[in-house]
């Protein structure tokens, strides 16, 4: 996993082989999502800096388009940023997103920090991706340079490399 | 940023028989566009690509592939399949151009049927193929080929097989194509 400076702030995503730290975050004003809810299925965790910025929108719009491909691996996709749930709701509706956006809002960026992808200088999550296997182990992580859409090819090849999800194990 | 050792992604699906191509197959320069007919940035790039083609003439081969992002653009899939249905009757580029030249009217499907009639296409066949999604598989194949080649949004261009990450203006595209030609 390469590390590099994101606006002078060293960001270092958790490496493959690490157990993915559990979290519980709000996805709507009255609903929470926990990572452990998805044990038994792969999870794609997508940290991004902010709702509404054009690069994110492009990235998340592409993922919405690709949900049927992710589903072929029985994978769940979760977006995470420091935006509040009301922003997430409006953004998700505007862009027709078909996967949950989680709010790493209070305490701000706590989960992003745990995953090593919080940029102190911007006060936002970095643009980082994790593919977590059905047993909750990080199998692939990627940190994208600022302003560069990381796309989906890396996610798809990481999912292809996972063994079929171990249902009932 | 680790720009110094950055290598842009490359086309995983090489240009071939299945592609819609303008310009000679032995051209030294090959420009591939992944586009969405309802994307405003693709609409803006359309006349620029035309200018680039005019400027470079037979030195350039231009290839168009579909990348409809339907969650943002509800007419994009319909438009892509309409162009493919026109292609099935040998008139891809006419419909491709007409779609981009009339982006504001994409929801008015009858307008495009009238144009197909003007092109002397079998309109009933075209409409049937679109309604039955005969060309959906082809559009999806373009799309997934794009995703696996690092297409993240539209328009995305490839020059000489490598993703072009620069600004899609006339000057920058000409410069990039000529640089790639020199190898």
């Amino acid at each position: 996993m390469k590390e590099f400076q994101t606006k002078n702030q060293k960001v270092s995503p958790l490496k493959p082989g690490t157990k993915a730290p559990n979290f519980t975050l709000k996805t709507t004003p009255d609903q929470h999502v926990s990572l452990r809810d998805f044990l038994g299925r792969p999870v794609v965790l997508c940290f991004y800096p902010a709702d509404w910025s054009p690069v994110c929108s492009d990235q998340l719009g592409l993922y919405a388009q690709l949900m049927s491909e992710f589903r072929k691996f029985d994978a769940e996709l979760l977006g995470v940023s420091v935006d509040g749930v009301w922003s997430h709701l409006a953004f998700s509706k505007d862009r027709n997103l078909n996967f949950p956006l989680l709010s790493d809002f209070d305490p701000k960026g706590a989960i992003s920090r745990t995953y090593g992808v919080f940029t102190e200088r911007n006060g936002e999550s970095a643009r980082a991706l994790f593919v977590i296997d059905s047993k909750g182990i990080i199998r692939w992580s990627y940190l994208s340079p600022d302003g560069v859409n990381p796309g989906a090819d890396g996610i798809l090849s990481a999912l292809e490399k996972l063994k079929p999800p171990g249902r009932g194990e | 940023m680790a720009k110094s050792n950055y290598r842009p992604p490359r086309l995983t699906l090489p240009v071939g028989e299945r592609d819609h191509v303008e310009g000679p197959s032995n051209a030294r320069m090959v420009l591939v566009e992944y586009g969405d007919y309802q994307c405003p940035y693709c609409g803006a790039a359309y006349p620029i690509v035309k200018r680039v083609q005019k400027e470079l003439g037979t030195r350039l081969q231009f290839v168009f592939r579909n990348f409809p992002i339907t969650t943002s653009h509800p007419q994009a899939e319909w438009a892509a399949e309409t162009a493919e249905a026109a292609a099935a009757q040998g008139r891809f580029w006419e419909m491709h151009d007409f779609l981009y030249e009339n982006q504001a009217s994409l929801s008015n499907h009858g307008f495009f049927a009238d144009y197909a009639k003007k092109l002397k296409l079998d309109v009933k066949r075209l409409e049937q193929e679109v309604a039955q999604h005969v060309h959906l598989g082809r559009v999806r194949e373009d799309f997934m080929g794009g995703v696996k080649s690092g297409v993240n949004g539209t328009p995305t261009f490839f020059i000489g097989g490598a993703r072009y990450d620069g600004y899609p203006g006339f000057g920058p595209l000409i410069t990039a194509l000529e640089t790639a030609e020199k190898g």
Side-chain angles (χ1 to χ4, degrees), chain A residues 65 68-69 96 145 149 151 153, chain B residues 69-71 140 143 147 152:
Chain A
Q65 187 77 38
S68 60
E69 295 298 321
N96 289 315
N149 181 340
D153 45 334
Chain B
I69 300 192
T70 53
T71 47
R140 194 73 193 161
F143 188 89
V147 167
N152 302 322

Side-chain angles (χ1 to χ4, degrees), chain A:
Chain A
M1 184 66 223
K2 66 182 172 186
E3 295 176 4
F4 53 84
Q5 305 288 111
T6 303
K7 294 201 175 155
N8 302 323
Q9 176 60 47
K10 197 166 189 177
V11 175
S12 175
L14 291 179
K15 292 178 171 53
T18 314
K19 188 168 169 41
N22 188 47
F23 54 77
T24 301
L25 290 173
K26 270 190 175 181
T27 180
T28 68
D30 55 1
Q31 283 177 304
H32 289 82
V33 163
S34 294
L35 181 63
R36 69 163 72 92
D37 299 343
F38 303 103
L39 276 176
R41 299 170 59 190
V43 172
V44 179
L45 204 51
C46 166
F47 290 90
Y48 64 98
D51 292 343
W52 305 108
S53 72
V55 176
C56 307
S57 315
D58 203 21
Q59 180 189 1
L60 299 183
L62 175 68
Y63 295 169
Q65 187 77 38
L66 283 167
M67 275 314 283
S68 60
E69 295 298 321
F70 298 146
R71 292 283 188 224
K72 286 181 187 165
F73 301 95
D74 198 31
E76 189 64 45
L77 172 65
L78 304 173
V80 185
S81 78
V82 297
D83 294 282
V85 284
W86 298 107
S87 173
H88 275 348
L89 278 179
F91 179 59
S92 187
K93 192 175 170 200
D94 185 71
R95 302 296 153 91
N96 289 315
L97 301 182
N98 46 11
F99 52 89
L101 299 180
L102 311 186
S103 184
D104 195 9
F105 182 72
D106 184 32
K108 186 179 171 187
I111 304 306
S112 306
R113 260 179 248 273
T114 308
Y115 277 78
V117 295
F118 188 75
T119 52
E120 299 288 346
R121 189 182 162 125
N122 301 347
E124 294 173 336
S125 307
R127 202 178 302 285
L129 297 166
F130 295 86
V131 169
I132 299 166
D133 72 12
S134 55
K135 290 178 177 156
I137 307 295
I138 295 170
R139 298 290 289 272
W140 179 77
S141 59
Y142 177 77
L143 177 63
S144 189
D146 279 353
V148 176
N149 181 340
D153 45 334
I155 297 174
L156 287 171
S157 21
L159 286 171
E160 274 161 20
K161 280 180 199 149
L162 292 184
K163 286 176 189 159
R167 280 194 176 285
E169 273 178 21

